[in-house]
Amino acid sequence: MPLMGNATSESATHGIRIAIDRGGTFTDCIGSGIPGKEDVVIKLLSVDPSNYKDAPTEGIRRILELATGDKIAREAPIDTSPIASIKMGTTVATNALLERSSEPCALLVSRGFGDLLRIGDQTRPKLFDLNIRRAAPLFKQVLEIDERVTLEGFTENPHQMSASEIDALVDDVEIVRGIGGELVRILEPLNVEKTRQDLQALYDNGVRSLAIILLHSYTFQQHELRIGELAKEIGFPQISLSSQLLPMIKAVSRGHSAAADAYLTPIVQKYIDSFRCGFIGHLEDDGTGTRCEFMQSDGGLVGWQRFNGLQAVLSGPAGGVVGFSRTCYDANTEVPVIGFDMGGTSTDVTRYAGILTHTLETVISGITIQSPQLEINTVAAGGGSVLTYSNGLFQAGPQSAGAHPGPCCYRKGGPLCVTDANLVLGRLSPNYFPKIFGPDENQPLDLAASRKAFAALTKTINADIEKNGGNILGVEEVALGFLDVANESMCRPIRQLTESKGFNTTDHNLASFGGAGGQHACAIADRLKIKKVLVHKYASILSAYGMALADTVQERHSPLSSVYKDSVEEIYGRLDNLQNQVSESLRGEGFKPEQMEFERYVNLRYAGSDTTIMVIQPLDGDFATAFVREHEREFSFTLPNRDVLVENVRVRGRANASPPLAKQESPSKELSTLTLTPVNDKKRADILNVFFEGGWVKAPLYLLKDTLPGEVITGPAMVFDETQMIVVRPGAAAKMLQAHIIIDLQSQEAQQADITRPLVEDPVELSIMSNRFMGIAEQMGLTLQRTSVSVNIKERLDFSCALFGPDGGLVANAPHVPVHLGSMEHAVRYQHNLHSKTLRPGDVLVSNHPLAGGTHLPDITVITPIFDADRKHISFYTASRGHHSEIGGILPGSMPAGSTKLYEEGAQIKSMFLVRDGRFHEEEITKVLMDDAGSYAGCSGTRRLSDNLNDLRAQIAANYKGANLVHALIAESGVEKVHFYMNAIKNNAAKAVRRFLKQTHEKFNGKQLQAIDHMDDGTPIGVTITIDPDEGSAIFDFEGTGLEGLHCFNAPHAITRSASMYMLRCMINEDIPLNEGCLIPITFKIPHGTILNPSGEAAVCAGNPITSQRITDVLIKAFRACAASQGDCNVFSFGFGGTDPTTGQATQGVGFGETVCGGSGAGENWHGTSGVHIHMTNTRITDPEVLEKRLPVILRRFSLRQGSGGAGLYHGGDGVIREYEFLRPLSCSILSERRVYQPFGLCGGAPGQAGRNTLVERLENGERWVNVGGRKDFRVNPGDRFIMETPGGGGWGSASDLKGQQVLEQRFEDGFKLPPGRENHIQMMLEQSN
């Protein structure tokens, strides 16, 4: 049948319609509308310089030759008169972003924020990497602009200004109203002349591309627009204004987006110009010629003249999403579909339920992109994923062999990959795969090489199995085991995509496409309990097909900051205005009004929350009610007492002038009209030997082109469609339709475990169970993030979730916040020992006390026992720990620097039932949080009770989610098997640690490892590590550590265990399970009454975030792992309100707190990283624009603290400077360290600079600069400033070392550059060494 249907509109009757997907490896081209001929499909290599310059141009040439019968010379420009349209997706921008292959641009940013994009959100990408590696910035030069605006008022103010007060302010010459409705105060007008001079200097230095991001330009655009005019006058060809790309709040995201656009647009335009040169007339559109459009990341087409770099990042994958959504979603049944696009290096998954789902912010190649994009989750698992065996576990990916050298079977000496496993198991056949391998590129896949490599790996695996008394595996069982592990890793992002949005994965169909999708689709669906797989007949070219189906799209956005109920009329006025703009743009592209459709959106959130939902206009027009309904569905709660706020409005217009597709009948409707019959055996093209779970079977192979609608192929079988192999597993039935294959999967009843047969450890099951346990913890985390209310848990992600065994031992801890690793186990075991004999199904316990396994009071742990099927015995526990940013005490934020007693830090809970007999104990927990916490002298109860209660409910929901997943796992495998592998995984982690300890003992020639460091008040923290090389065990003895202090830096003993587990995981540097097994080989000796094991009355609020970092430093020093990082996380909080300690009167207020990054330590062969969170925390920092919108502060400066990293052969990372100016009287608190003792260097490296905290008081006749010190509660008045300078990391190695001198000189000669401000660093070190 024709792919595109028959032409029906006059505009397209006489033209060929061409759709192209230019992928990383292959380019797919489809030509349709050819008079008297079937549609033409061309597949060719994307890069083949010996045969053609450009693959899409070559594809068009071949299509025209087949359509016209005329020979067209390769070098001759192509006549486009036979062509009606060209629609194309390209990976040009994606590749440039991945490879950093474009020309660098310059960044223009408000003064004081030159390092804003380098610091980003301050998190590190990989939690356990001591060598922190961030994505390189897209800009090389930074120009700070003399200008500054801020917002007037703050949204968290419990006493908002009246309309008359606002009107009076607008009369102020320094205050204007932004386009979003906010009041904007101009602190410093744009210095036009200086900006002009600076721009000219950039231009004279060869810069041609600019990215411009000024604070609050999403609503106040004048300064950016004026700079754009100046740059245009000077002659810059590429000027990317953040305010014009997408006017949304968040300076970091908008700035990264502007940089990406400035970086990518020139290379995209260069490619488009090169492409156009291949055609007569260069595709210039005069309204009657060939329409040439490119696919954008949002799934819409745009004319080549308006295609830019920011829109091009997901151009290729977007075509596949459009393709499967238009072909595999059945509007009759309305069953949502999960798109599963498995390629060579990665797998893309997305969800469709009748409308394309967009996200306005995502991270691609380490760069945050703020732009409308289809919501696509990518996992590093594909045909080229490398298969490895380490620490007794099977792993597939994340490393990929790529196209070169490719898998082992590609005849280029590559490693074992997923493709090799499919080949060895017969799921790929050399006879049905292109013969493009070997030196002459004419040989088939090398099955012998794959089998040989698997045989060698199997020998290694079996050697371990024999040691453990397990059952020996064959080559095929090993290959199948790797496929099972790869499939499980691909299931995890699918679960995240659905479950994180509140959808049940099993309620979907799976649409498989991409080159490798057909080999895995049945297995993936089976693991997810999905009953139906859909494979379109053109699945292997579905991205190109999606280009053909896509609409031309125009979008307009406008910021709007208002309360919904007060601005309905303005919302509709703005939507109408935006729709008119979109309509006019589409008319300019030649579309008629009847060809247009519009989607109108309002982006809404609850007051006090950062979580927005983009709501499409409902039939009744009530956006707020639709928002509340969607919020409840997605997050399981609503906040009826909070205002619904508007963030921005958006209109998306779609149009399509192409002829309509031939009407595709609904698959369900077509299926109901067919008489299903088994496929005729005569159509069998071959019989293949294929290995499934039961062993080798004879599987018939059918060619898709030979089948007819209504025929049924029963598995095991293989279906080949020229470009991909589809595996129909045993028991499945593939039903052939006109345009689809529908594979029905029979439900596989859980097999009862044979209790008479002893369980033996199997490395495949061990790997899968490890993934399943970790997946449960991750799903709990997604549920907690989804259902929580507070900014601290929902946005800053300050929480952890974990699964525990029936004795309370840790089974799996999702890698959320490192300081929680291992410490929750003590809280669970405390409750287990206290209540295990009296617990009942449905019970939920809550605790936060240090004597009950807590770390500090704001970290509240919620614990849920999971009972067996008989409801008699506890089989597991689930627990979630969240940082509640307010639980009472002497200061807002519950992190007072001056606390000396535990009760001053807020509510204390050793043990209480939060839920019993189905009742949530709201009155009881309210009493603890309010009355009990506020009963002490000078203390207040919690200032955010509603947030506390809602977040506790979210933690309960997260635990129940984990419990349900545990029940499902037990139902599948039996409780004995689950418990068996629970223990096996613990033993596996212990073995990895024992192996590391033995290697360490040998490395240090059997010497004891010792280290000591000091807190800023002089308190020593010391450790002596004695390793037993025979047992692979060690004693961590903290004798010599100082007494607990009359301060809040005391650290409950659980924190030392967490720091130890974190450091062991970092130094092992392999993906080992995070459970109690990691600490089985370790014996801890932590003297009572010390700062690391304080009494129950000690204040501890800073022990968790701060002292934990010093413990880590001491362990790092003992193991000589690297130099010290900043050793701090700089907890700064401020607010007002609460209970007045003098009058006892409670007033409404606000509290805020954040942690601030610093420099990381250098190590052997690596430099430290600047402006990043280290070790025991990894929470995000507040965006400057969000901070100023919500709170009564101005962020005057956020930059790197140049030169603060320690010198050495490898230098430490720099700390940061964060400067706040306050707009009203506030109570403040700073908890920080390394203000006296500097972060140490190692192996001759210099220490990093100590931090510094300064208060600048505004006086009538000037300013007073005051050193605050590291630990202080203080008050500020309007105009006062607080300047935090965080420590740098220590250096590694001495510059006087001859090797160091040679390395430095060579790097200097090679043009190696340090961050700005460090250019003289190498020269200084060279002078020292000489």
Side-chain angles (χ1 to χ4, degrees):
M1 77 174 200
L3 252 64
M4 311 293 192
N6 298 314
T8 58
S9 68
E10 185 177 350
S11 63
T13 300
H14 304 294
I16 300 170
R17 299 179 301 281
I18 296 175
I20 303 170
D21 172 35
R22 185 192 186 279
T25 305
F26 291 103
T27 293
D28 297 327
C29 309
I30 303 172
S32 64
I34 304 171
K37 294 187 178 181
E38 290 288 328
D39 301 321
V40 175
V41 176
I42 301 291
K43 195 176 192 76
L44 62 165
L45 290 171
S46 293
V47 180
D48 192 358
S50 61
N51 289 308
Y52 43 81
K53 292 182 179 179
D54 178 67
T57 305
E58 174 67 11
I60 293 171
R61 187 189 70 81
R62 294 186 189 184
I63 287 173
L64 289 179
E65 282 189 343
L66 293 171
T68 63
D70 297 330
K71 190 71 175 176
I72 302 174
R74 271 190 174 149
E75 301 303 321
I78 295 173
D79 179 9
T80 60
S81 59
I83 303 174
S85 64
I86 300 171
K87 300 179 178 182
M88 182 158 69
T90 175
T91 58
V92 169
T94 311
N95 292 342
L97 196 60
L98 292 172
E99 300 164 6
R100 297 295 198 267
S101 57
S102 185
E103 291 298 319
C105 61
L107 177 73
L108 278 64
V109 64
S110 302
R111 184 159 299 283
F113 294 87
D115 299 313
L116 182 65
L117 301 191
R118 296 181 187 274
I119 300 169
D121 68 0
Q122 78 180 1
T123 61
R124 59 192 186 275
K126 294 186 178 180
L127 200 62
F128 300 108
D129 280 1
L130 295 176
N131 177 12
I132 299 170
R133 288 158 288 187
R134 280 175 164 168
L138 301 177
F139 49 88
K140 288 294 184 183
Q141 299 185 56
V142 178
L143 175 61
E144 295 192 13
I145 301 297
D146 290 335
E147 70 82 46
R148 188 66 160 89
V149 305
T150 190
L151 301 186
E152 189 72 11
F154 59 103
T155 59
E156 297 300 303
N157 190 351
H159 310 291
Q160 292 292 329
M161 289 185 290
S162 66
S164 59
E165 290 174 318
I166 292 174
D167 291 338
L169 280 173
V170 176
D171 293 335
D172 189 326
V173 294
E174 295 179 346
I175 295 180
V176 298
R177 193 177 289 276
I179 63 173
E182 302 94 337
L183 295 182
V184 179
R185 179 176 289 276
I186 301 173
L187 299 171
E188 181 181 357
L190 175 68
N191 188 331
V192 175
E193 193 51 43
K194 185 175 187 305
T195 301
R196 189 196 308 274
Q197 294 172 5
D198 291 341
L199 284 170
Q200 187 65 57
L202 280 176
Y203 190 86
D204 294 343
N205 285 332
V207 175
R208 294 295 181 267
S209 185
L210 301 177
I212 304 172
I213 167 66
L214 304 181
L215 294 192
H216 301 291
S217 63
Y218 66 94
T219 188
F220 181 80
Q221 302 181 346
Q222 287 91 320
H223 286 176
E224 274 196 12
L225 291 171
R226 184 69 181 105
I227 295 172
E229 292 170 357
L230 296 174
K232 189 174 182 180
E233 291 169 6
I234 290 171
F236 285 93
Q238 177 58 42
I239 307 163
S240 298
L241 305 180
S242 75
S243 60
Q244 304 306 299
L245 291 169
L246 188 64
M248 286 184 64
I249 192 170
K250 288 188 181 180
V252 173
S253 301
R254 208 171 62 255
H256 275 307
S257 301
D261 188 67
Y263 183 80
L264 296 174
T265 295
I267 198 168
V268 168
Q269 289 298 328
K270 182 178 179 181
Y271 172 73
I272 291 175
D273 290 343
S274 173
F275 174 69
R276 289 170 52 227
C277 286
F279 302 90
I280 296 173
H282 294 183
L283 297 175
E284 294 289 351
D285 187 4
D286 59 3
T288 59
T290 300
R291 173 187 289 275
C292 178
E293 298 176 301
F294 283 83
M295 175 63 77
Q296 303 177 104
S297 300
D298 66 355
L301 296 164
V302 67
W304 63 263
Q305 303 91 335
R306 287 164 292 282
F307 189 51
N308 64 35
L310 189 63
Q311 298 169 324
V313 176
L314 293 178
S315 175
V321 175
V322 174
F324 97 79
S325 66
R326 294 287 181 91
T327 61
C328 295
Y329 176 73
D330 193 330
N332 274 18
T333 63
E334 296 186 337
V335 176
V337 184
I338 294 168
F340 172 67
D341 179 7
M342 183 177 177
T345 58
S346 64
T347 297
D348 293 330
V349 296
T350 190
R351 180 182 183 275
Y352 184 78
I355 188 169
L356 292 174
T357 304
H358 294 95
T359 180
L360 296 179
E361 184 173 308
T362 191
V363 178
I364 301 172
S365 189
I367 302 299
T368 301
I369 302 294
Q370 191 180 58
S371 175
Q373 302 156 74
L374 293 172
E375 191 166 10
I376 300 171
N377 283 16
T378 300
V379 59
S385 291
V386 177
L387 307 179
T388 56
Y389 173 77
S390 177
N391 287 322
L393 296 174
F394 284 39
Q395 294 178 337
Q399 299 83 10
S400 174
H404 182 82
C408 180
C409 58
Y410 276 21
R411 299 178 184 270
K412 294 181 182 178
L416 274 177
C417 298
V418 169
T419 296
D420 294 295
N422 278 310
L423 181 64
V424 165
L425 298 174
R427 301 175 186 209
L428 279 178
S429 170
N431 297 330
Y432 297 93
F433 202 91
K435 295 176 175 58
I436 56 173
F437 307 102
D440 298 325
E441 299 183 347
N442 60 355
Q443 292 181 278
L445 294 171
D446 191 345
L447 174 60
S450 296
R451 286 198 65 87
K452 181 179 178 181
F454 263 115
L457 183 57
T458 301
K459 185 176 180 181
T460 300
I461 293 169
N462 281 335
D464 283 353
I465 291 176
E466 286 180 326
K467 292 178 184 176
N468 297 325
N471 298 318
I472 298 301
L473 299 177
V475 166
E476 294 81 6
E477 291 169 311
V478 168
L480 184 61
F482 275 110
L483 286 192
D484 287 341
V485 171
N487 290 336
E488 179 59 34
S489 69
M490 287 185 281
C491 286
R492 285 166 72 171
I494 295 176
R495 295 188 186 106
Q496 291 171 7
L497 180 72
T498 52
E499 302 287 347
S500 65
K501 298 292 185 182
F503 300 110
N504 191 341
T505 309
T506 60
D507 296 335
H508 294 69
N509 292 333
L510 186 74
S512 171
F513 56 107
Q519 299 156 42
H520 294 258
C522 282
I524 294 289
D526 198 36
R527 284 189 172 276
L528 295 170
K529 301 296 183 286
I530 291 174
K531 301 297 187 241
K532 197 181 297 294
V533 174
L534 292 92
V535 184
H536 193 268
K537 286 198 173 183
Y538 301 105
S540 60
I541 55 170
L542 204 58
S543 289
Y545 193 30
M547 310 296 170
L549 302 175
D551 298 320
T552 300
V553 168
Q554 287 284 340
E555 284 207 14
R556 295 292 186 275
H557 299 251
S558 175
L560 178 57
S561 181
S562 63
V563 178
Y564 177 83
K565 64 184 179 183
D566 299 333
S567 55
V568 174
E569 185 175 342
E570 183 178 2
I571 290 169
Y572 273 91
R574 293 203 179 205
L575 287 171
D576 291 342
N577 181 47
L578 293 179
Q579 183 168 322
N580 289 335
Q581 293 178 37
V582 170
S583 177
E584 191 63 31
S585 295
L586 290 174
R587 281 194 186 95
E589 298 213 26
F591 292 102
K592 300 174 182 178
E594 59 269 21
Q595 295 172 318
M596 304 176 193
E597 294 181 4
F598 301 94
E599 298 168 6
R600 293 153 61 107
Y601 298 88
V602 178
N603 206 15
L604 301 169
R605 66 178 176 88
Y606 277 121
S609 169
D610 278 349
T611 301
T612 61
I613 297 178
M614 188 67 76
V615 179
I616 193 169
Q617 183 171 324
L619 293 176
D620 62 4
D622 187 348
F623 285 96
T625 300
F627 165 79
V628 172
R629 186 167 54 245
E630 179 63 15
H631 198 283
E632 183 170 23
R633 187 207 60 74
E634 185 169 339
F635 302 126
S636 305
F637 68 92
T638 62
L639 300 172
N641 297 322
R642 295 199 190 183
D643 285 332
V644 175
L645 305 183
V646 183
E647 284 285 309
N648 65 303
V649 296
R650 166 191 175 210
V651 172
R652 176 179 172 87
R654 298 181 288 112
N656 201 326
S658 299
L661 294 170
K663 184 65 176 177
Q664 179 178 295
E665 191 172 24
S666 156
S668 61
K669 186 175 180 182
E670 180 186 355
L671 194 60
S672 68
T673 63
L674 292 174
T675 301
L676 300 178
T677 58
V679 66
N680 193 316
D681 285 346
K682 293 181 180 179
K683 292 188 176 183
R684 188 173 59 202
D686 204 343
I687 296 178
L688 302 180
N689 288 320
V690 185
F691 191 90
F692 291 98
E693 284 75 4
W696 288 103
V697 298
K698 299 288 186 182
L701 179 137
Y702 300 91
L703 303 181
L704 183 61
K705 62 184 179 64
D706 294 340
T707 62
L708 295 174
E711 293 183 329
V712 179
I713 298 174
T714 302
M718 314 290 282
V719 180
F720 183 65
D721 76 343
E722 303 299 335
T723 55
Q724 73 163 330
M725 189 75 79
I726 301 167
V727 176
V728 184
R729 71 161 177 78
K735 302 169 184 176
M736 317 308 290
L737 305 186
Q738 182 69 25
H740 298 86
I741 304 171
I742 295 181
I743 305 176
D744 285 329
L745 303 175
Q746 295 179 359
S747 63
Q748 299 294 299
E749 297 296 332
Q751 295 182 355
Q752 295 297 316
D754 183 1
I755 60 174
T756 63
R757 183 179 178 182
L759 285 163
V760 293
E761 188 174 313
D762 179 277
V764 176
E765 285 288 350
L766 186 69
S767 304
I768 292 172
M769 280 291 187
S770 179
N771 269 301
R772 292 294 295 274
F773 288 141
M774 187 60 76
I776 290 170
E778 289 174 348
Q779 287 292 302
M780 291 172 64
L782 289 171
T783 301
L784 179 52
Q785 183 184 4
R786 183 171 63 84
T787 57
S788 60
V789 172
S790 69
V791 171
N792 207 57
I793 293 178
K794 197 175 196 70
E795 276 86 31
R796 295 186 66 240
L797 309 183
D798 196 349
F799 66 82
S800 286
C801 296
L803 177 68
F804 302 84
D807 62 350
L810 178 64
V811 175
N813 199 139
H816 293 132
V817 178
V819 76
H820 295 163
L821 291 173
S823 64
M824 264 199 291
E825 177 181 311
H826 292 273
V828 176
R829 279 202 157 132
Y830 183 92
Q831 303 302 322
H832 171 80
N833 293 334
L834 196 63
H835 295 292
S836 62
K837 295 181 180 179
T838 58
L839 287 173
R840 304 196 287 264
D843 284 348
V844 180
L845 295 156
V846 62
S847 177
N848 72 342
H849 201 286
L851 292 182
T855 51
H856 65 174
L857 298 183
D859 280 351
I860 299 180
T861 305
V862 174
I863 301 162
T864 302
I866 304 173
F867 283 79
D868 60 17
D870 296 329
R871 299 170 64 87
K872 293 181 179 179
H873 304 289
I874 296 172
S875 57
F876 284 93
Y877 287 92
T878 52
S880 53
R881 175 171 287 176
H883 184 102
H884 291 240
S885 58
E886 176 55 63
I887 58 164
I890 58 177
L891 280 179
S894 305
M895 293 286 290
S899 59
T900 59
K901 299 290 186 181
L902 187 64
Y903 67 78
E904 296 174 319
E905 298 174 349
Q908 306 169 61
I909 313 167
K910 275 191 178 179
S911 179
M912 69 175 290
F913 283 94
L914 190 59
V915 176
R916 182 144 240 208
D917 297 328
R919 184 176 72 86
F920 178 67
H921 288 190
E922 183 169 345
E923 291 182 7
E924 292 88 335
I925 192 66
T926 297
K927 178 179 180 297
V928 171
L929 292 169
M930 290 294 296
D931 301 341
D932 295 355
S935 65
Y936 297 94
C939 293
S940 168
T942 178
R943 300 159 183 89
R944 300 299 292 264
L945 177 64
S946 176
D947 280 6
N948 296 136
L949 296 177
N950 283 313
D951 283 348
L952 286 171
R953 290 189 179 97
Q955 290 178 255
I956 293 170
N959 289 0
Y960 280 146
K961 177 66 179 178
N964 289 335
L965 293 172
V966 168
H967 285 309
L969 181 60
I970 290 174
E972 290 174 27
S973 304
V975 68
E976 292 83 6
K977 182 176 178 180
V978 173
H979 278 163
F980 175 84
Y981 279 102
M982 173 192 75
N983 292 318
I985 290 167
K986 292 178 185 178
N987 293 334
N988 177 268
K991 288 177 183 177
V993 173
R994 291 185 192 280
R995 190 180 305 113
F996 165 75
L997 291 172
K998 290 178 180 179
Q999 292 168 351
T1000 301
H1001 184 271
E1002 182 178 351
K1003 175 181 176 181
F1004 290 100
N1005 297 316
K1007 295 180 181 178
Q1008 281 187 331
L1009 308 181
Q1010 293 181 315
I1012 191 169
D1013 205 340
H1014 296 81
M1015 303 292 286
D1016 279 350
D1017 66 356
T1019 301
I1021 296 178
V1023 68
T1024 299
I1025 299 172
T1026 305
I1027 298 174
D1028 182 336
D1030 298 323
E1031 294 290 329
S1033 62
I1035 298 171
F1036 284 26
D1037 187 350
F1038 290 87
E1039 186 69 41
T1041 295
L1043 291 176
E1044 71 177 74
L1046 195 63
H1047 50 60
C1048 61
F1049 284 73
N1050 302 293
H1053 69 92
I1055 290 176
T1056 299
R1057 296 174 64 89
S1058 293
S1060 300
M1061 181 183 286
Y1062 165 79
M1063 275 307 303
L1064 288 168
R1065 170 62 182 82
C1066 288
M1067 291 183 292
I1068 291 172
N1069 199 25
E1070 291 184 19
D1071 191 14
I1072 66 171
L1074 297 173
N1075 58 48
E1076 68 168 318
C1078 294
L1079 297 183
I1080 286 176
I1082 310 299
T1083 300
F1084 288 93
K1085 293 184 177 180
I1086 311 172
H1088 289 283
T1090 63
I1091 192 174
L1092 302 187
N1093 195 0
S1095 65
E1097 293 75 31
V1100 297
C1101 70
N1104 183 62
I1106 308 291
T1107 308
S1108 64
Q1109 302 281 17
R1110 193 55 43 83
I1111 301 168
T1112 308
D1113 283 344
V1114 171
L1115 292 170
I1116 281 174
K1117 194 174 186 179
F1119 281 99
R1120 307 294 190 268
C1122 63
S1125 296
Q1126 71 156 334
D1128 193 11
C1129 63
N1130 308 290
V1131 183
F1132 181 56
S1133 55
F1134 57 83
F1136 62 92
T1139 303
D1140 188 292
T1142 303
T1143 66
Q1145 183 178 358
T1147 58
Q1148 282 188 298
V1150 64
F1152 171 79
E1154 63 181 3
T1155 59
V1156 182
C1157 59
S1160 75
E1164 188 174 11
N1165 302 317
W1166 82 77
H1167 297 288
T1169 298
S1170 300
V1172 67
H1173 252 333
I1174 50 93
H1175 301 321
M1176 301 307 286
T1177 190
N1178 200 33
T1179 54
R1180 301 171 182 171
I1181 201 162
T1182 314
D1183 186 273
E1185 292 176 346
V1186 174
L1187 184 74
E1188 294 185 4
K1189 180 173 183 174
R1190 302 281 174 83
L1191 298 158
V1193 295
I1194 298 172
L1195 191 65
R1196 285 294 185 178
R1197 186 170 29 150
F1198 189 34
S1199 62
L1200 295 178
R1201 189 183 173 204
Q1202 305 293 352
S1204 57
L1209 176 59
Y1210 298 97
H1211 62 77
D1214 288 334
V1216 302
I1217 302 173
R1218 194 163 172 91
E1219 180 176 350
Y1220 309 79
E1221 180 181 336
F1222 305 100
L1223 302 178
R1224 61 151 292 155
L1226 295 167
S1227 297
C1228 299
S1229 179
I1230 178 65
L1231 290 166
S1232 59
E1233 272 284 315
R1234 293 292 191 195
R1235 267 54 182 175
V1236 177
Y1237 288 90
Q1238 297 172 251
F1240 57 79
L1242 274 185
C1243 298
Q1249 287 187 14
R1252 183 165 53 210
N1253 301 322
T1254 306
L1255 176 65
V1256 184
E1257 294 181 325
R1258 187 173 72 172
L1259 306 176
E1260 289 184 6
N1261 56 352
E1263 295 179 336
R1264 176 183 180 229
W1265 288 62
V1266 182
N1267 178 15
V1268 176
R1271 317 169 179 182
K1272 193 70 175 178
D1273 298 325
F1274 57 99
R1275 293 191 61 80
V1276 294
N1277 293 307
D1280 291 349
R1281 306 197 313 276
F1282 177 68
I1283 305 172
M1284 181 193 302
E1285 300 173 74
T1286 68
W1292 177 287
S1294 172
S1296 62
D1297 177 69
L1298 178 61
K1299 175 189 173 185
Q1301 180 179 348
Q1302 293 170 342
V1303 170
L1304 289 168
E1305 287 177 339
Q1306 184 60 52
R1307 291 172 71 83
F1308 194 65
E1309 290 170 3
D1310 290 346
F1312 170 74
K1313 293 184 182 300
L1314 287 167
R1318 300 293 294 275
E1319 290 86 352
N1320 62 346
H1321 195 107
I1322 288 182
Q1323 194 61 47
M1324 175 193 72
M1325 293 169 61
L1326 289 175
E1327 291 170 358
Q1328 290 176 351
S1329 65
N1330 290 327

